[in-house]
Amino acid sequence: MLTKLNLGSGADLRTDYINVDKNPKTKADVCTDLAVLPWDWPDNSFTEILALHVLEHIAAPSLVDIITELYRISRPQALWKLAFPHHRSDTQVGDPTHVRALHYLQFAAFDQTYNTENLRNNYSNSSLGLDLDIDLEITSLQYNLSPRFAAKNLDKPDLEYYSEIYSNVIESVDLEILVHKPGRLS
């Protein structure tokens, strides 16, 4: 039985994965609308979930509901590999099929260690990991720069500065997330 899931596969059909897409023309293994929850997979089914440029297209339900469902179908120590347009790029706002902007901090809100640190410091960040008993750890964060800024070979402080004041510095974001079940602080 395959334990890897490729959500929103489109034409990127992978041999060691269950490929899932809404469009039957893609010839994915499973044709389903990811906006309809719960998904048909049992709890703790997958060791790896790919969602490459798909989460920004799922109109409903909320991102919290989608993350909760991803967590439900993930095995302990599962790896999520996510990619999405940067929230300040034209690739995000220019596509009429994008229904939500994403930011890595939306996923960090499900990190129980991060939640505890924020509570200890009286920060107002959401503590969804603790509230929903979900624990996600971002293990890799990669920014894919627009060609104009990639050519500048920016160091981290300059990249942070430019991306805070200008649009189209970063085109997309790649995240890897480790699923902790049970949660580290559960």
Side-chain angles (χ1 to χ4, degrees):
M1 177 176 167
L2 294 175
T3 63
K4 296 180 181 179
L5 191 62
N6 181 14
L7 296 177
S9 63
D12 181 21
L13 302 176
R14 298 180 182 220
T15 55
D16 292 337
Y17 292 77
I18 298 172
N19 298 287
V20 180
D21 204 277
K22 183 178 177 179
N23 183 349
K25 293 180 181 178
T26 65
K27 301 190 189 243
D29 305 311
V30 176
C31 184
T32 192
D33 184 352
L34 295 173
V36 177
L37 298 180
W39 297 333
D40 287 335
W41 299 286
D43 295 359
N44 303 308
S45 293
F46 299 103
T47 60
E48 184 177 308
I49 298 176
L50 295 182
L52 307 178
H53 293 280
V54 66
L55 297 179
E56 65 273 16
H57 295 274
I58 303 173
S62 73
L63 182 61
V64 171
D65 293 330
I66 292 168
I67 290 172
T68 301
E69 188 68 1
L70 286 166
Y71 191 78
R72 180 188 69 77
I73 66 171
S74 295
R75 289 185 181 173
Q77 302 303 115
L79 180 65
W80 297 357
K81 295 181 180 180
L82 312 178
F84 47 85
H86 189 267
H87 62 282
R88 295 195 60 188
S89 77
D90 286 349
T91 58
Q92 168 59 38
V93 298
D95 186 335
T97 67
H98 290 174
V99 295
R100 70 178 42 138
L102 298 168
H103 192 285
Y104 79 91
L105 287 174
Q106 292 168 302
F107 298 91
F110 293 87
D111 181 323
Q112 292 181 354
T113 303
Y114 179 72
N115 294 161
T116 302
E117 181 182 316
N118 287 334
L119 290 170
R120 186 179 315 112
N121 291 311
N122 294 316
Y123 296 154
S124 61
N125 303 53
S126 295
S127 56
L128 290 169
L130 295 171
D131 297 343
L132 300 174
D133 198 24
I134 293 174
D135 195 8
L136 305 177
E137 178 185 359
I138 297 173
T139 57
S140 176
L141 168 64
Q142 172 73 41
Y143 292 122
N144 303 302
L145 303 183
S146 68
R148 178 180 178 196
F149 283 91
K152 294 182 181 293
N153 295 317
L154 299 173
D155 60 17
K156 187 174 179 181
D158 284 342
L159 174 60
E160 289 173 353
Y161 172 77
Y162 284 119
S163 67
E164 287 175 5
I165 61 172
Y166 296 115
S167 295
N168 297 311
V169 174
I170 302 168
E171 283 189 354
S172 64
V173 178
D174 297 339
L175 278 183
E176 288 191 5
I177 296 175
L178 181 63
V179 173
H180 292 282
K181 281 186 175 182
R184 292 168 287 175
L185 301 176
S186 295

